Amino acid sequence: MGNVVLKLEMSKINEMKNYYAKQLLDKNIPGGLFAAKTAGCMITAYKSGKVMFQGNDCEKEAGKWGSVTANKPSAVKEKSTAKGDLPAGISGMSAIGSDEVGTGDFFGPITVVAAYVRKEDIPLLKELGVRDSKDLNDEKIISIAKVIKDVVPFSLMTLKNEKYNQVQSSGMSQGKMKALLHNQAILNVLEKIAPVKPEAILIDQFVQPSTYFQHLKGQKSIANQNVYFSTKAEGIHLAVAAASILARYAFIQYIDKLSEAAGFRIPKGAGSQVDEAAAKLILSKGQESLPAFVKLHFANTDKAQALVNKKRR
């Protein structure tokens, strides 16, 4: 599916909205003015003045409103954060990005997402507000994720607490768990986009590359072609930023389910507030309920139990 981006005056965009009046979609788009869908093209107009045309008829439809050749998106500049053995121009490549959330949270699972972003879709993702998820609150994460989940091919892997506690107690490190999840998510995306192959696969680095591949020894399939690692990878390629947003969205949804099951709001993180929440859970549902909610080996487990003991005195 092709796409074209035009930069237009607001008067022209208003004219477009009237033109597509019968094909307008009731769709809430971050930073968007309107969205319309014809038989062969999806049209999305943004407050910035940019209009995105997606679909088989994108050039034909865009040609009604401006010069397609003169308004193609410019090349993405390489971010200064690119380091090490990353290939030059990786920020502008068609790439799979992979990231995870939940590893430092006492409550909730580890969620890993790999997402494929074509170079042609980079301008669209920027318009949708995709950037480092650490700069976005939960409300923004949710609104962006609901849109991009239909734009980029991705794979979500969720390691639920019960399974996490089982494999952790058997001796598996969290690093190996993450490596296995990243590899499987990437393989799933490669299968989805086949026969297309990404120019690069960028993983938000959590271990040295040699350790990562050591963790994967014995696996039937390992994604190892054009694989790169970098810390702060969300700032290097939007595929990693998109993966992070989708992973956080999934994690937020899971925390909502845990909160419903607990009967009260489950907090994120690993601070004192989660100790209080875990103690409340033990008092209301019993010690046996913990494995489905938390990562048992965290120090928070003992702290929560101490609070329970204090309250029972």
Side-chain angles (χ1 to χ4, degrees):
M1 181 178 71
N3 66 60
V4 173
V5 177
L6 298 182
K7 176 73 172 172
L8 301 173
E9 296 293 331
M10 201 53 63
S11 59
K12 180 69 72 172
I13 291 176
N14 289 331
E15 183 184 338
M16 288 178 66
K17 187 174 182 179
N18 291 330
Y19 180 84
Y20 294 113
K22 293 183 179 179
Q23 294 154 309
L24 291 175
L25 301 177
D26 184 15
K27 196 173 184 180
N28 185 22
I29 301 166
L33 293 171
F34 72 85
K37 187 172 179 61
T38 68
C41 186
M42 175 75 180
I43 304 105
T44 311
Y46 297 91
K47 294 175 184 176
S48 63
K50 290 184 180 178
V51 182
M52 185 79 178
F53 299 82
Q54 286 180 289
N56 295 330
D57 294 342
C58 62
E59 292 190 10
K60 176 184 174 184
E61 206 65 37
K64 297 176 180 179
W65 307 100
S67 172
V68 173
T69 55
N71 287 281
K72 285 187 177 178
S74 58
V76 177
K77 293 181 180 179
E78 178 70 12
K79 294 285 185 92
S80 60
T81 45
K83 297 177 182 178
D85 61 353
L86 296 180
I90 188 172
S91 297
M93 292 179 178
S94 295
I96 290 175
S98 187
D99 201 1
E100 86 283 330
V101 300
T103 57
D105 291 87
F106 182 46
F107 282 96
I110 292 178
T111 58
V112 173
V113 168
Y116 176 60
V117 172
R118 303 181 310 155
K119 63 180 73 175
E120 300 95 324
D121 290 332
I122 289 174
L124 171 61
L125 293 187
K126 285 187 173 182
E127 287 295 328
L128 293 174
V130 175
R131 59 183 187 276
D132 190 335
S133 67
K134 297 179 188 66
D135 298 333
L136 303 170
N137 59 30
D138 285 358
E139 185 180 359
K140 195 69 175 174
I141 287 285
I142 292 168
S143 67
I144 294 174
K146 284 182 176 179
V147 177
I148 66 173
K149 67 183 179 64
D150 298 322
V151 175
V152 299
F154 73 95
S155 172
L156 165 68
M157 305 296 295
T158 302
L159 182 58
K160 296 180 181 180
N161 294 98
E162 297 96 329
K163 184 66 175 178
Y164 177 95
N165 290 318
Q166 180 186 336
V167 296
Q168 192 279 328
S169 63
S170 71
M172 185 182 293
S173 68
Q174 196 183 80
K176 182 166 185 174
M177 295 179 210
K178 291 194 285 185
L180 293 170
L181 292 167
H182 277 270
N183 181 62
Q184 190 57 57
I186 291 166
L187 289 173
N188 291 346
V189 174
L190 286 170
E191 185 177 346
K192 282 185 178 183
I193 66 174
V196 173
K197 292 186 178 181
E199 296 173 87
I201 297 172
L202 181 60
I203 299 172
D204 193 53
Q205 187 170 339
F206 54 92
V207 291
Q208 290 300 313
S210 58
T211 304
Y212 174 85
F213 287 111
Q214 182 66 32
H215 286 323
L216 298 180
K217 275 195 170 180
Q219 296 301 300
K220 289 182 180 179
S221 298
I222 299 174
N224 55 17
Q225 291 187 351
N226 299 321
V227 176
Y228 303 94
F229 301 79
S230 178
T231 57
K232 301 181 180 178
E234 291 175 88
I236 294 172
H237 200 290
L238 285 185
V240 182
S244 180
I245 287 170
L246 290 166
R248 272 191 61 189
Y249 175 53
F251 183 77
I252 290 166
Q253 287 183 307
Y254 204 94
I255 289 292
D256 287 343
K257 289 180 182 177
L258 288 182
S259 298
E260 187 176 343
F264 59 88
R265 188 65 200 166
I266 293 292
K268 302 186 190 74
S272 59
Q273 76 278 9
V274 304
D275 301 338
E276 291 283 353
K280 185 175 181 180
L281 187 65
I282 294 170
L283 289 168
S284 63
K285 296 187 178 296
Q287 187 81 28
E288 64 278 6
S289 67
L290 278 186
F293 286 83
V294 307
K295 301 174 183 71
L296 289 173
H297 68 105
F298 278 34
N300 303 89
T301 301
D302 292 335
K303 292 177 182 178
Q305 189 59 59
L307 287 172
V308 170
N309 294 339
K310 187 176 179 181
K311 290 177 180 180
R312 281 176 174 168
R313 286 174 189 167

